[in-house]
Amino acid sequence: MLSEDVAASFAGAAANRRLFVLLPFSLILGLTLYALLPDEPGTLVLAGGTALAVALLAIAAARQSLPGIRFFVQAAALWFGFCLLPIHAALFGTAMLAFPTYGLYEAHVDEVLSADDSTRRIIVSQFEPMDGARPVAIKRARLSLPAEPELRPGDRLRAPLRLAPVPGPVLPGSHDGQFHSYFIGVGAYGSATGAIERIAEGSATDFARQIQGLRSHIAARIDLALDGPGAAIGKSMVMGDQSDISDETRDVMAASGLAHVYSISGLHLSIVAGGIYWLVRLLLASMPALVAWPVKQIAALIGIVAAFLYLLLAGGVDNVPAFRSTLMLALIFGAVLAGRRALTMRNVAIAAILIIVIDPASVFRPSFQLSFAAVIGLIGIYEMPRPFEAANTRLERLWRLVAATAWTSFIAGLATLLFSAYHFQQTAPLSVLGNVMALPFVGLIMWAGVAAMLLMPFGLDGLCFQLMGWGIDGMLWVAELVAGWSEGLTGNPLLSGWTLLGGLAALAWFGFLETRWRLLAPVALLPAILVFGLEPRPDILISDTTQAVAVRDGEGMALASGRTGSFAVNVWSRHYQTEIGGTHSGTICDGLGCIVRTADYSLAIIRNAAAFAEDCGRHDLLIARIRPPNSCTGAVIGQDQLARGGVHWLHWDEEAGRFDIRPAMVNLNRPWRVSPR
């Protein structure tokens, strides 16, 4: 029977100590429960829960109850995950700037995020107000400054700054900049309003400064050899700096399923570190005098060193995908050093636990979800029995390589489909074809980059960067070709938030079981998402920081207020893949405000308090940037609602005859929120 077979699979997995694989999923569930709370848990709750978890573990261990120990270990991991973000908040959190601040400040440069010919994005700390400027309680801020003067980690600057609150999500469920900024200590965004002065230089021996200097030198060498998209993608794949990549290039790469190529991750580190491991092992094995040496272990050590050097060049631990991939490679090479199997689900779990403990907020970023879903999917399929026949000819070996590449891309695409659809609202149906066609060019890009790094001290890197440019041109040609073939096939799925938890549960099931029944949960999840997981499209979108109000107009949307080209409107248009027109066809405006009428509903946008007497209660929705009187009835979104909840999403419920309203921010009583409590 089905139930007996599944139960037997669970028992076998538990007997094979696969419960360890579930620990990162328990941690993630705890993190999710904490993040979804409407209010911050108190210190007594955290301390009491921790004491209870320790006591239950001790009781289970004292009774030597194996099932009890297993259960309480997972429960303790869940509780530890729940406590991780409060721990990181105590260590790295900051007060969040609530109101814009202007003034002359001195600050210390902690990190250079990106730099091009016109703009430099940096992280600064140690603010000192000058000339009567208002003191700020934030630990760090992210600034967008002119490219000159050149600033490096360790420098100290003086400049007139405009510091602004970190913006919240632009749509319900989208990237929450306040949440992620808070846990790295960034309490404000800002820019310079006047001349910038570098008043002190950092120590020449500062390691971060030396690395930034090397990154700047490499970027200059790439700009010297390449231009346009070639230089932008070259800097991204060598150093992890994506700031120069244009929106057009990003769109083409995403449509062809190649967007992952310009983000340093497991693919790049595997090509570089794995390739160096293979070359070193081949070189040492070809020397008869070294036959007694542990060639495999020496090559693994050099592979680890290569991976960590590449990580430093890519931005270090701040480049989360590269850091995560480096940890995974270190575990793989560590298994080689220990003479154990390298690609195991246990190693994936260890890497996940380390990343979660070091940077728990990364769990809520797309890069974490996509990379670990892909690795779990690939290793899970790799673990399953499969027929294998030795290749006898070069043609057969070539065919096996192409087939393995296509199969790997297909499995990784399936494993990440849910997460990419949720975060990016786009699917790439021909991604397997794009990845197979682009693989030779990606290999050329990476190996030309490695050769350029090795030859740069001798001034011989120019030809290597030219080869890299040819590879990038070839990859972009493939991307444009496949994107053209995909036109009309891509979708714009809008998924509910619960689908991410469903995907997490399906991944846990898949990773834990070892038999063919591991496929049951992922297969069952698909129809559930198709029936219950699709979100309706909005009928109205209201910006919190601008005047933009977009209303459905026929098949698309158009502005009843505000202007096209603003940040919020551009994000809405990209998210829903719908061009938002300049003026709604049903809009009538006067000096007091605007009225918008559609076939199903009407709404009023109030600009002057004199309009309340006429419009209150006469429309299905009233939008006011000023505080409406208490006598206004019906659906009202006023100044207070926009300040607290941010962007508002509305969908017309035809059966109920009213709007379903969702603010972008719902958990307002949390330390990372900057809106009024």
Side-chain angles (χ1 to χ4, degrees), residues 1-338:
M1 294 177 62
L2 173 62
S3 59
E4 294 177 354
D5 288 346
V6 174
S9 295
F10 269 89
N16 289 338
R17 299 187 299 174
R18 298 280 289 195
L19 284 166
F20 183 83
V21 174
L22 296 181
L23 286 177
F25 293 98
S26 297
L27 289 170
I28 293 170
L29 183 58
L31 287 165
T32 304
L33 292 175
Y34 168 82
L36 292 176
L37 288 178
D39 296 290
E40 192 70 10
T43 304
L44 290 178
V45 173
L46 297 175
T50 302
L52 178 62
V54 172
L56 291 175
L57 276 176
I59 293 171
R63 293 182 176 181
Q64 297 182 346
S65 170
L66 187 59
I69 293 174
R70 289 171 172 172
F71 172 79
F72 287 121
V73 164
Q74 296 297 329
L78 186 150
W79 182 253
F80 181 57
F82 184 88
C83 297
L84 262 178
L85 282 173
I87 292 172
H88 272 250
L91 295 174
F92 309 109
T94 180
M96 302 295 286
L97 190 69
F99 303 99
T101 299
Y102 299 83
L104 183 68
Y105 292 91
E106 290 184 2
H108 177 272
V109 179
D110 291 349
E111 180 185 351
V112 178
L113 300 175
S114 65
D116 55 32
D117 293 338
S118 60
T119 306
R120 190 176 302 274
R121 293 169 58 244
I122 64 175
I123 300 289
V124 298
S125 64
Q126 302 175 23
F127 283 92
E128 287 189 19
M130 310 294 292
D131 294 344
R134 183 161 65 92
V136 289
I138 60 176
K139 287 184 180 179
R140 306 203 296 168
R142 193 178 78 180
L143 303 181
S144 180
L145 303 177
E148 295 296 334
E150 182 180 359
L151 296 169
R152 295 184 181 179
D155 289 347
R156 190 159 186 84
L157 64 85
R158 180 189 293 127
L161 299 176
R162 176 190 183 273
L163 299 175
V166 178
V170 181
L171 285 166
S174 65
H175 175 78
D176 191 341
Q178 293 177 357
F179 176 86
H180 292 287
S181 294
Y182 172 75
F183 287 103
I184 60 173
V186 173
Y189 288 0
S191 59
T193 60
I196 302 166
E197 181 184 359
R198 184 174 56 199
I199 59 176
E201 291 190 2
S203 171
T205 60
D206 183 83
F207 185 68
R209 184 178 181 84
Q210 291 176 337
I211 293 296
Q212 182 58 42
L214 178 60
R215 285 164 55 86
S216 299
H217 177 70
I218 293 172
R221 299 293 293 181
I222 292 176
D223 285 330
L224 191 63
L226 304 174
D227 55 17
I233 292 179
K235 286 186 284 189
S236 175
M237 295 179 70
V238 172
M239 305 182 309
D241 184 357
Q242 302 179 23
S243 57
D244 286 352
I245 300 178
S246 66
D247 290 340
E248 292 77 12
T249 300
R250 292 178 188 272
D251 291 341
V252 169
M253 295 288 282
S256 60
L258 294 173
H260 65 94
V261 171
Y262 57 72
S263 176
I264 295 177
S265 58
L267 171 67
H268 309 77
L269 283 151
S270 297
I271 291 176
V272 174
I276 289 177
Y277 164 80
W278 179 80
L279 284 176
V280 171
R281 187 177 177 187
L282 178 65
L283 178 63
L284 295 179
S286 64
M287 298 179 181
L290 305 180
V291 68
W293 287 28
V295 170
K296 191 175 181 181
Q297 285 72 19
I298 293 173
L301 280 173
I302 295 176
I304 292 175
V305 172
F308 276 97
L309 288 176
Y310 191 13
L311 173 65
L312 289 175
L313 195 60
V317 296
D318 295 312
N319 189 329
V320 176
F323 180 49
R324 185 168 53 249
S325 302
T326 303
L327 274 181
M328 191 67 198
L329 275 173
L331 289 171
I332 291 173
F333 285 131
V336 172
L337 289 172

Side-chain angles (χ1 to χ4, degrees), residues 496-513:
S496 300
W498 73 262
T499 59
L500 288 181
L501 291 176
L504 177 69
L507 275 179
W509 176 290
F510 182 87
F512 176 65
L513 297 183

Side-chain angles (χ1 to χ4, degrees), residues 522-586:
V523 170
L525 181 63
L526 178 60
I529 290 175
L530 293 177
V531 175
F532 303 108
L534 297 179
E535 287 278 284
R537 294 184 175 274
D539 289 304
I540 300 176
L541 293 168
I542 308 170
S543 173
D544 57 337
T545 56
T546 68
Q547 297 294 321
V549 177
V551 182
R552 183 154 301 283
D553 194 6
E555 294 298 319
M557 299 189 79
L559 291 177
S561 177
R563 59 180 180 81
T564 58
S566 66
F567 175 75
V569 173
N570 287 340
V571 172
W572 295 344
S573 179
R574 182 180 294 274
H575 184 92
Y576 295 108
Q577 295 185 17
T578 300
E579 184 176 353
I580 297 178
T583 304
H584 191 278
S585 59

Side-chain angles (χ1 to χ4, degrees), residues 403-621:
T405 302
W407 179 243
T408 299
S409 178
F410 177 70
I411 295 301
L414 281 181
T416 58
L417 180 61
L418 166 65
F419 302 98
S420 60
Y422 178 86
H423 290 290
F424 305 115
Q425 303 80 46
Q426 187 173 6
T427 57
L430 301 181
S431 61
V432 173
L433 181 61
N435 279 276
V436 171
M437 293 175 64
L439 184 62
F441 298 110
V442 175
L444 174 61
I445 295 167
M446 296 309 301
W447 279 109
V450 171
M453 297 301 102
L454 296 175
L455 295 175
M456 190 174 292
F458 309 102
L460 302 176
D461 52 296
L463 178 59
C464 297
F465 282 134
Q466 288 291 339
L467 289 173
M468 175 186 278
W470 295 340
I472 293 172
D473 290 342
M475 182 180 68
L476 289 175
W477 173 79
V478 169
E480 292 173 356
L481 189 67
V482 174
W485 293 341
S486 303
E487 192 170 351
L489 301 177
T490 58
N492 181 218
L494 306 174
L495 301 182
S496 300
W498 73 262
T499 59
L500 288 181
L501 291 176
L504 177 69
L507 275 179
W509 176 290
F510 182 87
F512 176 65
L513 297 183
E514 298 174 281
T515 66
R516 68 183 185 277
W517 293 113
R518 72 190 328 167
L519 301 173
L520 180 61
V523 170
L525 181 63
L526 178 60
I529 290 175
L530 293 177
V531 175
F532 303 108
L534 297 179
E535 287 278 284
R537 294 184 175 274
D539 289 304
I540 300 176
L541 293 168
I542 308 170
S543 173
D544 57 337
T545 56
T546 68
Q547 297 294 321
V549 177
V551 182
R552 183 154 301 283
D553 194 6
E555 294 298 319
M557 299 189 79
L559 291 177
S561 177
R563 59 180 180 81
T564 58
S566 66
F567 175 75
V569 173
N570 287 340
V571 172
W572 295 344
S573 179
R574 182 180 294 274
H575 184 92
Y576 295 108
Q577 295 185 17
T578 300
E579 184 176 353
I580 297 178
T583 304
H584 191 278
S585 59
T587 302
I588 301 175
C589 295
D590 58 23
L592 302 180
C594 296
I595 303 296
V596 182
R597 299 187 185 276
T598 72
D600 298 314
Y601 53 83
S602 67
L603 62 111
I605 303 172
I606 303 297
R607 297 196 179 111
N608 189 299
F612 287 125
E614 181 179 353
D615 292 325
C616 280
R618 297 186 59 184
H619 301 278
D620 299 291
L621 175 68

